[in-house]
Amino acid sequence: DQQVKQNSPSLSVQEGRISILNCDYTNSMFDYFLWYKKYPAEGPTFLISISSIKDKNEDGRFTVFLNKSAKHLSLHIVPSQPGDSAVYFCAAFTQFYFGTGTSLTVIP
Amino acid sequence: SAVISQKPSRDICQRGTSLTIQCQVDSQVTMMFWYRQQPGQSLTLIATANQGSEATYESGFVIDKFPISRPNLTFSTLTVSNMSPEDSSIYLCSVAGTDYGYTFGSGTRLTVV
């Protein structure tokens, strides 16, 4: 049973535009959420997180939004850069259920 | 954050053999985690390795198939035993960092033929 879902396996965005990656979860007990970025042949690297007591967390070009009632979170990247091209995973704490990943391609 | 050295980075193994994956951390950590990513699927937690005690396995994973060693606070190994093509995956070790962020090794890409 996939408790964390990323329904878009891929996304293409023009350089400079906004990238929006979405994630849905089913377990209302999750109280901490994280986004990871993964380049080919490397392990995932932590990107940004959000606690359930917040609905928004911003770090530079990256902003994560949490909608607890909808059990939905999203990652916004503004402006998108070619170096952002990677697979992005959302994750829910503590059992660490990962989504299936969204492959983002930023087109120069 | 911790730095993890994981090896081998990739291997091609014969059916029925075993492969041991090593993870070395540059600092002492209580808990280490082993994950598997099968093609087209999400990362799945295999087990949690605590120093001085047996690893805790997630549902669907057993010690006979994935024995884990944790001899000290900076090192762990995962063995994939009696391999079959279904074991072809990327295997990753991980340690907890600050603010709930986790640091991952670079992964081991295993192909079983």
mmCIF file of all heavy atoms in Angstrom, chain A residues 75-96:
data_model
loop_
_atom_site.group_PDB
_atom_site.id
_atom_site.type_symbol
_atom_site.label_atom_id
_atom_site.label_comp_id
_atom_site.label_asym_id
_atom_site.label_seq_id
_atom_site.Cartn_x
_atom_site.Cartn_y
_atom_site.Cartn_z
ATOM 1 N N LEU A 75 6.092 21.050 -3.972
ATOM 2 C CA LEU A 75 7.394 21.717 -3.997
ATOM 3 C C LEU A 75 7.405 22.670 -5.186
ATOM 4 O O LEU A 75 7.152 22.251 -6.320
ATOM 5 C CB LEU A 75 8.523 20.697 -4.133
ATOM 6 C CG LEU A 75 9.928 21.251 -4.296
ATOM 7 C CD1 LEU A 75 10.376 21.950 -3.015
ATOM 8 C CD2 LEU A 75 10.899 20.159 -4.695
ATOM 9 N N HIS A 76 7.693 23.943 -4.919
ATOM 10 C CA HIS A 76 7.790 24.938 -5.963
ATOM 11 C C HIS A 76 9.255 25.342 -6.127
ATOM 12 O O HIS A 76 9.925 25.650 -5.123
ATOM 13 C CB HIS A 76 6.956 26.180 -5.625
ATOM 14 C CG HIS A 76 5.481 25.921 -5.623
ATOM 15 N ND1 HIS A 76 4.558 26.888 -5.949
ATOM 16 C CD2 HIS A 76 4.759 24.812 -5.357
ATOM 17 C CE1 HIS A 76 3.351 26.386 -5.869
ATOM 18 N NE2 HIS A 76 3.441 25.116 -5.510
ATOM 19 N N ILE A 77 9.719 25.358 -7.338
ATOM 20 C CA ILE A 77 11.079 25.794 -7.641
ATOM 21 C C ILE A 77 10.975 26.995 -8.566
ATOM 22 O O ILE A 77 10.461 26.885 -9.682
ATOM 23 C CB ILE A 77 11.895 24.674 -8.325
ATOM 24 C CG1 ILE A 77 11.846 23.392 -7.504
ATOM 25 C CG2 ILE A 77 13.341 25.122 -8.530
ATOM 26 C CD1 ILE A 77 12.497 22.190 -8.198
ATOM 27 N N VAL A 78 11.428 28.147 -8.058
ATOM 28 C CA VAL A 78 11.326 29.384 -8.837
ATOM 29 C C VAL A 78 12.585 30.230 -8.653
ATOM 30 O O VAL A 78 12.913 30.560 -7.512
ATOM 31 C CB VAL A 78 10.108 30.222 -8.399
ATOM 32 C CG1 VAL A 78 9.988 31.478 -9.258
ATOM 33 C CG2 VAL A 78 8.830 29.407 -8.443
ATOM 34 N N PRO A 79 13.283 30.618 -9.733
ATOM 35 C CA PRO A 79 13.079 30.135 -11.088
ATOM 36 C C PRO A 79 13.774 28.796 -11.301
ATOM 37 O O PRO A 79 14.781 28.506 -10.667
ATOM 38 C CB PRO A 79 13.764 31.237 -11.917
ATOM 39 C CG PRO A 79 14.871 31.726 -11.027
ATOM 40 C CD PRO A 79 14.356 31.611 -9.617
ATOM 41 N N SER A 80 13.265 27.999 -12.171
ATOM 42 C CA SER A 80 13.879 26.700 -12.451
ATOM 43 C C SER A 80 15.164 26.888 -13.252
ATOM 44 O O SER A 80 15.250 27.752 -14.122
ATOM 45 C CB SER A 80 12.905 25.815 -13.234
ATOM 46 O OG SER A 80 11.724 25.615 -12.497
ATOM 47 N N GLN A 81 16.138 26.045 -12.932
ATOM 48 C CA GLN A 81 17.427 26.096 -13.605
ATOM 49 C C GLN A 81 17.770 24.711 -14.161
ATOM 50 O O GLN A 81 17.329 23.702 -13.611
ATOM 51 C CB GLN A 81 18.520 26.532 -12.624
ATOM 52 C CG GLN A 81 18.306 27.907 -12.024
ATOM 53 C CD GLN A 81 19.328 28.244 -10.957
ATOM 54 O OE1 GLN A 81 20.140 27.397 -10.569
ATOM 55 N NE2 GLN A 81 19.280 29.474 -10.474
ATOM 56 N N PRO A 82 18.568 24.654 -15.218
ATOM 57 C CA PRO A 82 18.927 23.339 -15.783
ATOM 58 C C PRO A 82 19.531 22.400 -14.742
ATOM 59 O O PRO A 82 19.311 21.191 -14.782
ATOM 60 C CB PRO A 82 19.929 23.687 -16.889
ATOM 61 C CG PRO A 82 19.504 25.051 -17.329
ATOM 62 C CD PRO A 82 19.054 25.752 -16.057
ATOM 63 N N GLY A 83 20.271 22.941 -13.775
ATOM 64 C CA GLY A 83 20.860 22.115 -12.734
ATOM 65 C C GLY A 83 19.850 21.492 -11.798
ATOM 66 O O GLY A 83 20.187 20.615 -11.008
ATOM 67 N N ASP A 84 18.609 21.941 -11.894
ATOM 68 C CA ASP A 84 17.550 21.344 -11.073
ATOM 69 C C ASP A 84 17.038 20.042 -11.681
ATOM 70 O O ASP A 84 16.264 19.322 -11.037
ATOM 71 C CB ASP A 84 16.372 22.310 -10.933
ATOM 72 C CG ASP A 84 16.742 23.589 -10.201
ATOM 73 O OD1 ASP A 84 17.624 23.538 -9.321
ATOM 74 O OD2 ASP A 84 16.153 24.642 -10.521
ATOM 75 N N SER A 85 17.445 19.738 -12.882
ATOM 76 C CA SER A 85 16.982 18.514 -13.544
ATOM 77 C C SER A 85 17.442 17.299 -12.743
ATOM 78 O O SER A 85 18.640 17.035 -12.602
ATOM 79 C CB SER A 85 17.518 18.447 -14.976
ATOM 80 O OG SER A 85 17.033 19.527 -15.743
ATOM 81 N N ALA A 86 16.515 16.577 -12.193
ATOM 82 C CA ALA A 86 16.803 15.453 -11.305
ATOM 83 C C ALA A 86 15.481 14.756 -11.016
ATOM 84 O O ALA A 86 14.414 15.180 -11.469
ATOM 85 C CB ALA A 86 17.433 15.942 -9.996
ATOM 86 N N VAL A 87 15.550 13.684 -10.253
ATOM 87 C CA VAL A 87 14.339 13.026 -9.758
ATOM 88 C C VAL A 87 14.088 13.530 -8.343
ATOM 89 O O VAL A 87 14.993 13.565 -7.514
ATOM 90 C CB VAL A 87 14.473 11.496 -9.760
ATOM 91 C CG1 VAL A 87 13.221 10.857 -9.173
ATOM 92 C CG2 VAL A 87 14.710 10.988 -11.177
ATOM 93 N N TYR A 88 12.856 13.952 -8.067
ATOM 94 C CA TYR A 88 12.497 14.506 -6.770
ATOM 95 C C TYR A 88 11.552 13.529 -6.050
ATOM 96 O O TYR A 88 10.538 13.096 -6.610
ATOM 97 C CB TYR A 88 11.827 15.867 -6.941
ATOM 98 C CG TYR A 88 12.796 16.934 -7.384
ATOM 99 C CD1 TYR A 88 13.209 17.006 -8.710
ATOM 100 C CD2 TYR A 88 13.320 17.853 -6.477
ATOM 101 C CE1 TYR A 88 14.122 17.964 -9.123
ATOM 102 C CE2 TYR A 88 14.225 18.817 -6.885
ATOM 103 C CZ TYR A 88 14.627 18.865 -8.209
ATOM 104 O OH TYR A 88 15.537 19.803 -8.608
ATOM 105 N N PHE A 89 11.889 13.228 -4.821
ATOM 106 C CA PHE A 89 11.075 12.340 -4.004
ATOM 107 C C PHE A 89 10.502 13.122 -2.834
ATOM 108 O O PHE A 89 11.211 13.879 -2.179
ATOM 109 C CB PHE A 89 11.908 11.195 -3.414
ATOM 110 C CG PHE A 89 12.423 10.213 -4.410
ATOM 111 C CD1 PHE A 89 13.667 10.387 -5.003
ATOM 112 C CD2 PHE A 89 11.684 9.089 -4.737
ATOM 113 C CE1 PHE A 89 14.157 9.465 -5.919
ATOM 114 C CE2 PHE A 89 12.166 8.155 -5.646
ATOM 115 C CZ PHE A 89 13.403 8.347 -6.231
ATOM 116 N N CYS A 90 9.223 12.930 -2.549
ATOM 117 C CA CYS A 90 8.696 13.417 -1.283
ATOM 118 C C CYS A 90 8.697 12.242 -0.307
ATOM 119 O O CYS A 90 8.668 11.085 -0.714
ATOM 120 C CB CYS A 90 7.301 13.997 -1.441
ATOM 121 S SG CYS A 90 6.053 12.834 -1.984
ATOM 122 N N ALA A 91 8.766 12.555 0.963
ATOM 123 C CA ALA A 91 8.820 11.518 1.990
ATOM 124 C C ALA A 91 8.078 11.998 3.222
ATOM 125 O O ALA A 91 7.999 13.196 3.485
ATOM 126 C CB ALA A 91 10.271 11.180 2.346
ATOM 127 N N ALA A 92 7.522 11.055 3.950
ATOM 128 C CA ALA A 92 6.780 11.376 5.172
ATOM 129 C C ALA A 92 7.457 10.705 6.354
ATOM 130 O O ALA A 92 7.857 9.553 6.283
ATOM 131 C CB ALA A 92 5.333 10.918 5.045
ATOM 132 N N PHE A 93 7.616 11.413 7.390
ATOM 133 C CA PHE A 93 8.247 10.940 8.634
ATOM 134 C C PHE A 93 7.217 10.211 9.473
ATOM 135 O O PHE A 93 6.054 10.609 9.491
ATOM 136 C CB PHE A 93 8.770 12.156 9.384
ATOM 137 C CG PHE A 93 9.715 11.837 10.494
ATOM 138 C CD1 PHE A 93 11.034 11.528 10.207
ATOM 139 C CD2 PHE A 93 9.296 11.852 11.793
ATOM 140 C CE1 PHE A 93 11.909 11.249 11.225
ATOM 141 C CE2 PHE A 93 10.163 11.578 12.819
ATOM 142 C CZ PHE A 93 11.481 11.280 12.537
ATOM 143 N N THR A 94 7.511 9.171 10.179
ATOM 144 C CA THR A 94 8.807 8.660 10.528
ATOM 145 C C THR A 94 9.126 7.336 9.873
ATOM 146 O O THR A 94 10.272 6.927 9.867
ATOM 147 C CB THR A 94 8.933 8.409 12.032
ATOM 148 O OG1 THR A 94 7.955 7.388 12.395
ATOM 149 C CG2 THR A 94 8.626 9.640 12.848
ATOM 150 N N GLN A 95 8.069 6.693 9.420
ATOM 151 C CA GLN A 95 8.318 5.411 8.797
ATOM 152 C C GLN A 95 9.000 5.579 7.453
ATOM 153 O O GLN A 95 9.511 4.648 6.895
ATOM 154 C CB GLN A 95 6.985 4.651 8.634
ATOM 155 C CG GLN A 95 7.122 3.210 8.242
ATOM 156 C CD GLN A 95 7.801 2.381 9.304
ATOM 157 O OE1 GLN A 95 7.779 2.732 10.482
ATOM 158 N NE2 GLN A 95 8.424 1.293 8.912
ATOM 159 N N PHE A 96 9.019 6.770 6.974
ATOM 160 C CA PHE A 96 9.738 7.105 5.746
ATOM 161 C C PHE A 96 9.187 6.368 4.541
ATOM 162 O O PHE A 96 9.871 5.557 3.924
ATOM 163 C CB PHE A 96 11.230 6.834 5.905
ATOM 164 C CG PHE A 96 12.034 8.076 5.778
ATOM 165 C CD1 PHE A 96 11.760 9.156 6.576
ATOM 166 C CD2 PHE A 96 13.044 8.192 4.857
ATOM 167 C CE1 PHE A 96 12.468 10.326 6.474
ATOM 168 C CE2 PHE A 96 13.766 9.365 4.741
ATOM 169 C CZ PHE A 96 13.486 10.426 5.545
#
